[in-house]
Amino acid sequence: MKTAPFSLRTLLPSRRAIPLWLAVSFLLMPQARAEIEVAPFAGFRMGGEFTVNDRDTDEKDTLEFKDSEAFGVVVNVDLDEAGKQAELYFGRQETTASTSDRLLTEDSYSVDFTIYQLQFGGLYFPGRKNTGAFVSGVLGVTRLEPKPSGLDDHHRASIALGGGYKLALTDNLLARFDLRG
């Protein structure tokens, strides 16, 4: 009786079958209760406006930020009490701020900014589960970083309240829908 030589290739799926094999394995994994959730996000932030005072002339002007996309990551950690999670939020947005007066620079009416947010807070799920509808509250620091090198970076305290919904797609995968303000 002749036996075929042992090969590691006989144990592994073909290259074309690997994505399917991984997807099926992921869906059939035993349910594990995750205590930590890591969620990269992409979204859209609506701009806003606020009043700016010129230190030298004491003139006031309105600074308007354009709507633009935002990217980042959210990390949630289950707390001992059911339906509550701690949250760490980091977001990045590139936008343009414009003014009707030449307050920012002598040669332009607008300046490009990168806005960074680092916030800590929590989520509360009224159903005492870690999926479904939730309310959120975070506070932290926002960094405004103008693109022209002659302008200063600014750090400001920030707070956000919001709500959303976490939808369980599988035992190991969630979709998160979130609004903050």
Side-chain angles (χ1 to χ4, degrees):
M1 180 164 133
K2 208 172 183 190
T3 60
F6 176 75
S7 170
L8 187 57
R9 232 177 234 199
T10 59
L11 296 177
L12 297 176
S14 72
R15 286 185 190 174
R16 285 186 230 158
I18 287 176
L20 178 63
W21 181 78
L22 288 173
V24 169
S25 298
F26 180 75
L27 293 172
L28 296 177
M29 287 173 129
Q31 182 174 359
R33 202 69 191 143
E35 294 184 11
I36 297 177
E37 297 172 7
V38 178
F41 72 86
F44 189 77
R45 283 203 189 133
M46 296 188 328
E49 63 181 43
F50 58 91
T51 303
V52 180
N53 296 327
D54 187 331
R55 291 184 209 169
D56 299 332
T57 63
D58 215 18
E59 291 181 25
K60 294 182 179 182
D61 198 6
T62 301
L63 189 62
E64 297 179 26
F65 286 90
K66 283 177 68 176
D67 301 347
S68 65
E69 57 277 340
F71 305 95
V73 66
V74 178
V75 177
N76 292 102
V77 178
D78 291 347
L79 300 177
D80 290 337
E81 191 174 341
K84 293 185 179 179
Q85 291 183 325
E87 178 170 280
L88 179 65
Y89 171 94
F90 174 77
R92 182 179 188 277
Q93 173 188 13
E94 291 193 18
T95 187
T96 300
S98 57
T99 181
S100 59
D101 201 0
R102 294 176 186 241
L103 179 67
L104 297 175
T105 64
E106 291 181 14
D107 298 330
S108 71
Y109 293 101
S110 64
V111 172
D112 293 330
F113 275 89
T114 301
I115 301 173
Y116 297 96
Q117 290 183 307
L118 181 62
Q119 299 175 326
F120 180 76
L123 302 180
Y124 171 69
F125 296 84
R128 300 185 54 86
K129 295 181 179 180
N130 289 347
T131 59
F134 65 85
V135 293
S136 65
V138 292
L139 57 96
V141 65
T142 297
R143 175 185 170 104
L144 298 171
E145 190 176 279
K147 297 287 173 109
S149 59
L151 298 175
D152 295 333
D153 297 347
H154 291 280
H155 294 83
R156 298 287 184 257
S158 58
I159 186 169
L161 300 174
Y165 195 87
K166 284 188 185 181
L167 176 66
L169 301 175
T170 70
D171 292 336
N172 300 305
L173 183 64
L174 297 171
R176 177 175 169 154
F177 305 94
D178 208 337
L179 287 174
R180 295 172 184 245

